Amino acid sequence: LRVGLKVGAGRIERIRVTSTRPDAARSLLQGRSRVEIRAALPLLFSICGRSQAAAGELACAVAAGEATTAAALARCSAEVSAEVVREYSWRTLLDWPRWIGEKPAEEAIEAARAAHASRSRSAAPADPGANAIAMAAFGVGADEWLAPRSLCALDRWIDAGKTAAARFVRRMRDEDAATGALDDRSAHDVAFLDGRDRAAGMEELWAACEADPGFTRRPTWRGAPAETGPLARLQGDPLIAELTCRSASRVLARFVARLHELALLLAGRVSASVGAQAVPSGGGIAWVENARGLLIHQVRLERDRAATYRIVAPTEWNFHPEGALASALTLAPAADLEAVKRRVVRMAHSLDPCVSCRVEFDDA
């Protein structure tokens, strides 16, 4: 991803968000058999490979007219849940400390490695691997961290700073305050992608993909960009909703939502949402809610080969040229270019793209 900023009169006048990622689905998966697609997906996507494989498996199955069994959905959900825990653990325990100039603690490194080695996440909170991750991230067990349900309690945990994750979130909160984001209500945010009934919206998304060849690169929901990810999934949680309202930037809320969802997964209270359905025009569409948001695979088979294969990834939702990143930064103060660059990087990190992101200035 390349994020270009045009600055003038002390403000960001224009945001340019472009992606150089190739369309792997069209160039490498169309024309392939189901067996070839199943083998290729985990190899094509080094990040969120399990999510990609699950979505491909489910989409191809329903496109072939096969029933989606409860056992297959449960298996895919368990594997994607484990992947989400791995992704969150890696970010929280290893990347977040580095982003504030700290070295990850040895116990955090070991917990992240254990999460990375696991293919399935036990739903039992007593799972020693889950407890090690929770202790490294929160300083207490997942259930204990989830118990306080107020911003005051969250602030106390942040201010105590007993873990690198808490100190990182404190830095994000303080940076928000320094930029005026805690008080500035003028920022325009895109809507959250509604995740309450995925099946109801799949035919609509299928039709949008069919009608617009560029939809996979610039997806919209009912004609407008939308934000996906842990913050969108937890928009109905009272504490997360209150935190979202407190800061106009959503940066702090996104990081806390990721922590909150990690705790829910470790405590066995939630699992990844997956599903698939056939469409009347022929074909199948599958969805997976992974670490970065909504992932969609759309397949139409002819003689067991993919006549059409499209993938809409979470990064394309969040880094739409008029999406969550661009809308939050347009007309933002930009007196100090280095400070602006740091702010953009933090915002990009909060949206967690699945590819590298470079920030540059246009005509600055």
Side-chain angles (χ1 to χ4, degrees):
L1 286 167
R2 293 178 179 172
V3 180
L5 309 173
K6 187 175 187 305
V7 175
R11 290 192 174 273
I12 298 175
E13 294 182 342
R14 188 177 68 238
I15 310 292
R16 173 179 52 83
V17 183
T18 57
S19 173
T20 60
R21 182 164 59 170
D23 186 348
R26 184 175 61 83
S27 60
L28 298 176
L29 298 178
Q30 282 188 188
R32 303 281 184 174
S33 70
R34 288 177 63 187
V35 172
E36 290 171 330
I37 290 169
R38 186 167 188 166
L41 280 169
L43 302 177
L44 287 174
F45 299 96
S46 59
I47 296 178
C48 294
R50 184 56 243 168
S51 299
Q52 298 282 358
E57 173 190 338
L58 295 171
C60 286
V62 294
E66 299 170 6
T68 304
T69 67
L73 290 173
R75 172 178 52 78
C76 288
S77 176
E79 291 179 352
V80 175
S81 295
E83 181 181 73
V84 175
V85 169
R86 290 197 296 272
E87 292 288 325
Y88 284 178
S89 298
W90 201 265
R91 283 282 185 259
T92 303
L93 303 180
L94 303 183
D95 289 338
W96 289 9
R98 295 188 184 108
W99 292 346
I100 57 172
E102 295 186 13
K103 182 180 178 181
E106 285 300 321
E107 59 268 24
I109 294 172
E110 290 304 314
R113 284 175 177 167
H116 195 70
S118 174
R119 282 188 58 82
S120 62
R121 169 59 46 203
S122 169
D127 173 16
N131 190 60
I133 296 168
M135 292 301 297
F138 311 119
V140 294
D143 277 311
E144 185 177 347
W145 188 80
L146 288 166
R149 300 299 298 160
S150 70
L151 283 182
C152 289
L154 177 64
D155 280 329
R156 285 195 294 273
W157 176 78
I158 292 171
D159 289 328
K162 293 182 179 179
T163 66
R167 294 189 292 275
F168 174 82
V169 173
R170 182 171 63 197
R171 177 78 63 85
M172 297 306 100
R173 185 194 62 187
D174 293 348
E175 286 182 0
D176 254 11
T179 60
L182 297 183
D183 304 311
D184 179 13
R185 308 310 308 161
S186 64
H188 171 69
D189 285 316
V190 301
F192 290 123
L193 195 60
D194 193 343
R196 290 172 292 182
D197 189 356
R198 279 279 167 254
M202 285 301 119
E203 284 188 31
E204 197 170 334
L205 286 169
W206 175 283
C209 281
E210 292 280 274
D212 178 8
F215 186 88
T216 58
R217 304 301 293 243
R218 297 185 176 190
T220 57
W221 175 243
R222 295 176 178 168
E227 178 175 341
T228 188
L231 183 57
R233 288 193 290 264
L234 293 175
Q235 61 183 288
D237 180 273
L239 177 61
I240 299 299
E242 189 178 357
L243 185 62
T244 304
C245 291
R246 188 168 82 169
S247 171
S249 77
R250 287 187 181 174
V251 169
L252 177 63
R254 290 187 189 111
F255 286 122
V256 174
R258 195 167 296 138
L259 279 177
H260 192 83
E261 197 165 63
L262 173 61
L264 290 171
L265 285 161
L266 295 175
R269 298 191 193 182
V270 299
S271 60
S273 174
V274 302
Q277 67 185 58
V279 293
S281 61
I285 190 167
W287 63 92
V288 169
E289 285 281 358
N290 70 16
R292 292 167 176 86
L294 176 65
L295 170 69
I296 300 169
H297 280 223
Q298 178 199 20
V299 187
R300 181 181 280 109
L301 297 175
E302 293 179 3
R303 294 184 294 277
D304 203 46
R305 289 186 175 272
T308 300
Y309 207 111
R310 299 187 182 100
I311 297 174
V312 186
T315 295
E316 270 58 61
W317 288 101
N318 291 331
F319 290 85
H320 184 287
E322 300 172 8
L325 182 78
S327 67
L329 291 171
T330 302
L331 300 182
D336 182 336
L337 295 187
E338 283 304 312
V340 169
K341 189 171 184 177
R342 287 194 299 271
R343 182 179 181 184
V344 175
V345 168
R346 291 287 194 228
M347 192 163 290
H349 283 160
S350 76
L351 290 163
D352 198 16
C354 58
V355 292
S356 62
C357 182
R358 188 173 74 190
V359 179
E360 53 198 18
F361 291 96
D362 298 336
D363 304 319

